[in-house]
Amino acid sequence: MDDCLFCGIVAGAVPAELVHETERTVAFRDIDPQAPTHVLVVPRDHHVNAVELAAADPATSAELVTAAAAVAAAEGHPDDYRLVLNTGPGAGQTVFHTHLHVLAGRPLTWPPG
Ligand code: 5GP
Ligand code: ZN
């Protein structure tokens, strides 16, 4: 999608600090980190949220999670991390290209805000 920020990052048109890539996913550091490790894992293809991705492309949906685990491990947090899929504006979604937040490196309280 032409006007999608994360499509731009996947295409290399928008700068980002990439930390991990697979056939179907790209992972890069969040520009406004909420934890020492805060990485976004996105599918290369455009889908507006996690549910649409899961319905359209289950293999990539699974790869998003395995890529997130690989990122957490590479960052030194193989066993303690949080994966977040904000879905819809009311839940805090601001970019409408599926992205899985990987948060680690500090105590993560529950419930989240
Ligand atoms: P959401 O609020 O949609 O769940 O998450 C969007 C995330 O994208 C936010 O955590 C925000 O900081 C991050 N973000 C927004 N613009 C950019 C950008 O240009 N580059 C990077 N790396 N992250 C961004
Ligand atoms: Zn997109």
Side-chain angles (χ1 to χ4, degrees):
M1 272 188 66
D2 289 349
D3 59 350
C4 172
L5 176 63
F6 289 172
C7 281
I9 289 176
V10 169
V14 176
E17 187 183 344
L18 271 52
V19 297
H20 190 262
E21 291 188 71
T22 68
E23 183 183 347
R24 303 179 180 93
T25 72
V26 175
F28 51 89
R29 294 198 191 283
D30 196 291
I31 203 168
D32 181 21
Q34 302 301 311
T37 291
H38 188 174
V39 170
L40 304 174
V41 188
V42 308
R44 292 183 186 274
D45 294 339
H46 184 88
H47 300 274
V48 299
N49 61 38
V51 177
E52 293 217 359
L53 172 65
D57 188 350
T60 299
S61 192
E63 197 164 303
L64 218 60
V65 177
T66 53
V71 167
E75 298 272 318
H77 309 289
D79 301 317
D80 298 284
Y81 52 88
R82 181 168 293 165
L83 305 183
V84 175
L85 290 163
N86 292 327
T87 305
Q93 186 177 7
T94 58
V95 179
F96 292 86
H97 177 132
T98 312
H99 49 283
L100 180 56
H101 294 258
V102 184
L103 296 150
R106 67 166 170 81
L108 294 162
T109 57
W110 191 262

